[in-house]
Amino acid sequence: MYEAAFKNIDNTLREDDGCGTELDYIEQTSWVLFLKYLDDFESEKETAALLNGETYTRIIDGEFRWNQWAAPKKSDGSLDYNRALTGDDLRDFVNNELFRHLGSFKLTADNPQSINYKIGEIFSELRNKQNGYTLRDVINKVDELKFLSNEDKHELSSLYEDKIKSMGNAGRNGGEYYTPRPLIKTIVKVINPKIGETVYDGAVGSAGFLCEAYEHMRSSKELSAAEYETLQKNTFYGKEKKSLAYVIGIMNMILHGVEAPNIVHTNTLNENIADIQQKDRVDVILANPPFGSSERKEVEQNFPIASGETAYLFLQHFIKKLKTGGRCGVVIKNTFLSNTDNASVALRKQLLEECNLFAVLDLPGGAFLGTGVKTVVLFFEKGKPTEKVWYYQLNVGRNMGKTNPLNERDLADFIALSKTQVESENSWVVDIADTNTDTWDLTVNNPNRVEEADHRTPQEIIAEIELLDAHAAEALQAIKEML
């Protein structure tokens, strides 16, 4: 049911001139889903209050309530087409009244962490791109979705995750928001956040790390009411710079079961790390910060190690943000391990002296769809210097792409060996005492993998090249004949 509804919504949006990409589809689906979710959520709260003899005051009420403007119903539960706006009337109401009203919540909310404030942020940043007829079709399809049972929410969260994945596959901009779910699960399992610990992602994107950490912690044991409340309100924190990613992250966490996500819409790097105090620090950091981009010079001045590489600024932020004994799993370009520029050397030195870099996972090219960038995952604990680093070089034995992406089976051996950090064909240990302290070079160099030598003679190699050329020429001639 839900899968078909999502496909139908995408098909509807494809016919609208205002929505031309996967990014548009998920953006426009997200805000409508968000308002339907809130209406179901508030209806549950209202019913529970009534049963307890209490009164519940709705966040969104009056003409802006879902059942008034989006889906007014007849007594038999069917849509009342006489009252339901459509066409230009619907478009004008949404653009000029609904978004303006909901955006004003940002100014009237008492607490930036409240759901009221987040509603205000979302509808201050987004805009409706659909014409009134497309929007009516989308609303009708979303109205069929129910957010009442845990099973409903789980299925919807899985489908929403698939939409984020397809957005990531659609192009460079979308890919900024999506980290392969098998990799996220692996990082979470190795870091193993526990109930009572705080979990943070300063480049939250679609909130994949926070959602997976929530699932991991929620299923780790039978939770008491107090522990569940702690998970809901005092465990997960994130920051996101981009408007669309912020909305997607909020919606993703809500669909995974976190009712009022503690995600702040801000540029993490605007904060001077010298201002981070003990009260601001966290137990666990899970992140895949953007790399390759750059920040303004005044932003770089917030960090002792100046760099035009955004990921280097995030890494400094994460080290400062961790409590003593706190743990971090972070994705970064593998060139960080070997670059000889001053920033790379200084940052490796800081990492090794202030933290125990206990594991490095070397990922193959193609692990991130749509990009050929080679990456590694750094696992470290703050508070004591590194003595030994355990490396694992992931070898999946195939070229990865959209039809054969990274999967959990690929990472199973790494997870198993990470518990004991033994050596194998794919893993080894480096003693930091043997490291050159001028460069602090951490280059991935597997001493246990022996490459098979090519014993062919030069004549055999030339013959094979000529054979391949002949096959290519035959194929080309066959194509010409077909044309």
Side-chain angles (χ1 to χ4, degrees):
M1 169 187 169
Y2 296 117
E3 185 173 5
F6 269 54
K7 286 181 179 177
N8 288 337
I9 290 169
D10 280 355
N11 289 336
T12 299
L13 290 170
R14 284 190 184 96
E15 297 174 2
D16 193 301
D17 292 339
C19 303
T21 68
E22 293 279 355
L23 300 181
D24 292 326
Y25 304 158
I26 195 167
E27 175 187 39
Q28 296 303 300
T29 304
S30 292
W31 74 258
V32 181
L33 273 174
F34 185 73
L35 292 179
K36 176 60 167 66
Y37 168 85
L38 276 177
D39 190 69
D40 283 357
F41 174 75
E42 294 209 86
S43 294
E44 283 188 277
K45 293 285 188 182
E46 200 170 47
T47 301
L50 187 64
L51 292 173
N52 292 326
E54 300 169 351
T55 301
Y56 176 76
T57 303
R58 281 183 168 263
I59 300 170
I60 301 176
D61 210 352
E63 65 178 315
F64 301 105
R65 186 172 167 179
W66 180 267
N67 68 4
Q68 294 299 307
W69 70 272
K73 301 292 175 59
K74 298 178 183 176
S75 57
D76 64 359
S78 63
L79 184 68
D80 186 345
Y81 285 97
N82 291 324
R83 294 168 53 210
L85 298 173
T86 191
D88 292 348
D89 292 337
L90 177 58
R91 181 203 62 199
D92 292 345
F93 173 80
V94 167
N95 293 353
N96 301 329
E97 297 182 50
L98 179 67
F99 270 51
R100 184 179 300 165
H101 172 71
L102 298 179
S104 70
F105 286 17
K106 184 176 179 179
L107 303 175
T108 58
D110 296 329
N111 180 0
Q113 296 301 330
S114 68
I115 189 66
N116 301 56
Y117 187 89
K118 296 188 186 309
I119 292 170
E121 279 200 310
I122 288 170
F123 288 93
S124 296
E125 297 291 344
L126 292 186
R127 64 183 180 90
N128 169 50
K129 296 179 180 178
Q130 306 165 66
N131 69 53
Y133 298 102
T134 299
L135 183 55
R136 169 46 58 198
D137 286 346
V138 170
I139 287 171
N140 291 349
K141 291 177 173 67
V142 169
D143 189 57
E144 297 172 3
L145 306 178
K146 304 300 179 187
F147 295 83
L148 301 178
S149 71
N150 287 332
E151 290 75 17
D152 289 337
K153 291 176 183 176
H154 179 74
E155 184 175 353
L156 280 165
S157 67
S158 297
L159 287 168
Y160 195 70
E161 198 71 48
D162 288 342
K163 284 183 71 65
I164 296 170
K165 180 179 179 179
S166 67
M167 180 189 72
N169 293 344
R172 182 173 175 272
N173 292 330
E176 292 177 8
Y177 309 141
Y178 183 74
T179 304
R181 183 52 54 128
L183 180 60
I184 291 175
K185 286 185 175 182
T186 296
I187 295 171
V188 170
K189 285 177 182 177
V190 172
I191 293 295
N192 191 25
K194 300 177 177 63
I195 303 291
E197 293 185 321
T198 47
V199 182
Y200 170 74
D201 183 350
V204 82
S206 62
F209 281 101
L210 297 186
C211 289
E212 192 57 46
Y214 172 76
E215 296 286 351
H216 176 85
M217 297 166 82
R218 185 178 59 83
S219 61
S220 64
K221 54 178 288 192
E222 190 71 32
L223 300 183
S224 66
E227 287 172 329
Y228 180 77
E229 186 80 357
T230 296
L231 271 189
Q232 281 290 329
K233 296 182 177 179
N234 304 311
T235 298
F236 304 103
Y237 300 88
K239 295 176 182 176
E240 175 52 46
K241 175 182 177 181
K242 297 188 176 182
S243 299
L244 176 55
Y246 171 76
V247 175
I248 293 169
I250 290 271
M251 191 70 207
N252 202 16
M253 291 199 72
I254 285 173
L255 286 174
H256 277 81
V258 181
E259 293 174 0
N262 294 314
I263 299 177
V264 179
H265 188 196
T266 186
N267 183 356
T268 301
L269 303 180
N270 281 341
E271 179 181 16
N272 191 317
I273 65 170
D275 295 333
I276 297 175
Q277 305 299 314
Q278 182 59 31
K279 63 180 177 58
D280 305 315
R281 294 192 170 100
V282 296
D283 299 292
V284 168
I285 292 176
L286 306 163
N288 176 17
F291 40 75
S293 56
S294 59
E295 293 286 341
R296 302 183 312 275
K297 287 297 180 183
E298 56 267 32
V299 172
E300 291 183 30
Q301 291 171 5
N302 290 327
F303 300 87
I305 301 173
S307 174
E309 172 59 70
T310 303
Y312 287 13
L313 306 181
F314 270 104
L315 187 53
Q316 291 176 74
H317 172 82
F318 293 152
I319 294 172
K320 189 65 181 285
K321 188 80 173 176
L322 276 178
K323 293 178 180 177
T324 299
R327 308 177 307 288
C328 178
V330 59
V331 181
I332 197 166
K333 283 195 296 188
N334 75 342
T335 51
F336 164 71
L337 301 177
S338 57
N339 280 348
T340 57
D341 60 283
N342 291 338
S344 298
V345 173
L347 190 50
R348 289 197 296 269
K349 181 177 187 291
Q350 180 191 1
L351 177 64
L352 294 171
E353 290 183 340
E354 296 183 16
C355 304
N356 174 28
L357 178 62
F358 60 86
V360 173
L361 170 61
D362 181 49
L363 296 167
F368 286 79
L369 298 182
T371 173
V373 176
K374 283 269 291 173
T375 57
V376 294
V377 185
L378 308 178
F379 297 91
F380 58 88
E381 179 182 350
K382 183 177 175 179
K384 56 183 179 180
T386 304
E387 295 182 358
K388 296 180 185 297
V389 182
W390 181 71
Y391 285 78
Y392 186 98
Q393 190 169 50
L394 186 63
N395 179 26
V396 298
R398 66 181 190 280
N399 292 324
M400 288 184 291
K402 290 183 180 180
T403 57
N404 54 356
L406 191 69
N407 60 57
E408 291 185 55
R409 293 188 305 277
D410 294 328
L411 292 152
D413 184 59
F414 165 72
I415 293 173
L417 295 186
S418 70
K419 295 178 174 62
T420 56
Q421 297 197 340
V422 297
E423 294 203 20
S424 69
E425 180 185 358
N426 297 314
S427 60
W428 66 100
V429 175
V430 170
D431 193 328
I432 295 302
D434 299 330
T435 302
N436 183 331
T437 54
D438 291 329
T439 62
W440 299 97
D441 191 286
L442 296 171
T443 301
V444 173
N445 185 15
N446 187 350
N448 300 330
R449 181 175 294 170
V450 179
E451 301 292 342
E452 289 189 12
D454 190 341
H455 297 294
R456 292 176 299 170
T457 65
Q459 290 77 14
E460 288 172 329
I461 294 173
I462 292 170
E464 185 170 340
I465 291 172
E466 290 174 344
L467 182 61
L468 290 172
D469 286 344
H471 287 323
E474 289 173 8
L476 201 59
Q477 183 59 37
I479 293 171
K480 288 179 180 178
E481 291 173 359
M482 290 173 61
L483 297 175

